[in-house]
Amino acid sequence: MSFQIEKDVPFAGTLGRGKVPKYPFADMEVGDSIALVDERQLKSARNAAFLFKQSRENFGPGHWDYGATKYKDGSGRLWRTA
């Protein structure tokens, strides 16, 4: 079986088996943030940000870091800090 190499085919913006990223980490610049509606979503976003940060470190330079805040009402916000 042989494969043909194709140039300039736009990336579909999906992950793995056709999944679309849940959070826009790749599009965030330093100082950008996303609002999270409840504690469950905040925890999910923090876990996803941690995995995103680890995956970026595996591909060399290009530091990416984040910070998160939980508010009294259970909502929260996640910032790109680096």
Side-chain angles (χ1 to χ4, degrees):
M1 175 180 241
S2 68
F3 295 93
Q4 182 179 0
I5 297 173
E6 299 176 72
K7 306 265 187 207
D8 300 319
V9 176
F11 181 63
T14 59
L15 302 172
R17 299 179 202 126
K19 293 182 179 181
V20 176
K22 186 173 184 178
Y23 301 103
F25 301 140
D27 298 328
M28 293 174 74
E29 296 179 8
V30 175
D32 289 352
S33 66
I34 54 173
L36 304 155
V37 297
D38 59 25
E39 190 172 343
R40 186 176 185 187
Q41 192 179 55
L42 175 60
K43 187 174 182 177
S44 173
R46 288 177 65 191
N47 289 338
F50 176 77
L51 293 174
F52 182 80
K53 177 183 174 182
Q54 279 189 324
S55 71
R56 300 285 290 202
E57 290 171 353
N58 292 337
F59 291 107
H63 188 68
W64 194 94
D65 207 355
Y66 67 95
T69 298
K70 177 181 165 189
Y71 301 120
K72 288 183 179 180
D73 66 357
S75 66
R77 186 164 287 276
L78 186 134
W79 284 267
R80 178 175 175 187
T81 59

